[in-house]
Amino acid sequence: MAIIGFLVFGLVVGALARLIKPGHQALGIVGTLVLGVVGSLIGGIVASALGTGDIFELNILGAVVAIIAAVLLIGVVEGVMGKQKAVR
């Protein structure tokens, strides 16, 4: 059950990050899920390093960092995808 909860939270984080980031992102539902899960992992690691809880524990600091990390990851993905399109 913890894995399902983590995936659902990752999808929510990815969706919120896409809403916060202006412009059109060429990501589907799977890309949003992966983006959110990676952002959630980063948020959990940062929250754990600051001593606010476990990496897989849901807390406010971890959620905020996860959303910020996911927004930054969107920029990275857009930059990589933009360079690939420019080369073709």
Side-chain angles (χ1 to χ4, degrees):
M1 288 301 289
I3 293 173
I4 294 172
F6 191 72
L7 291 175
V8 169
F9 182 70
L11 188 59
V12 170
V13 166
L16 286 173
R18 287 187 65 186
L19 286 173
I20 292 170
K21 179 83 168 79
H24 175 74
Q25 297 90 27
L27 294 171
I29 189 92
V30 175
T32 302
L33 176 65
V34 170
L35 179 82
V37 167
V38 172
S40 296
L41 283 172
I42 293 170
I45 290 169
V46 170
S48 178
L50 294 175
T52 62
D54 188 30
I55 186 171
F56 295 109
E57 183 179 320
L58 182 62
N59 57 37
I60 298 298
L61 179 64
V64 170
V65 174
I67 294 169
I68 292 169
V71 169
L72 294 175
L73 286 172
I74 288 175
V76 170
V77 170
E78 285 178 339
V80 169
M81 291 178 74
K83 288 180 182 178
Q84 288 177 352
K85 287 180 182 179
V87 170
R88 291 183 183 181

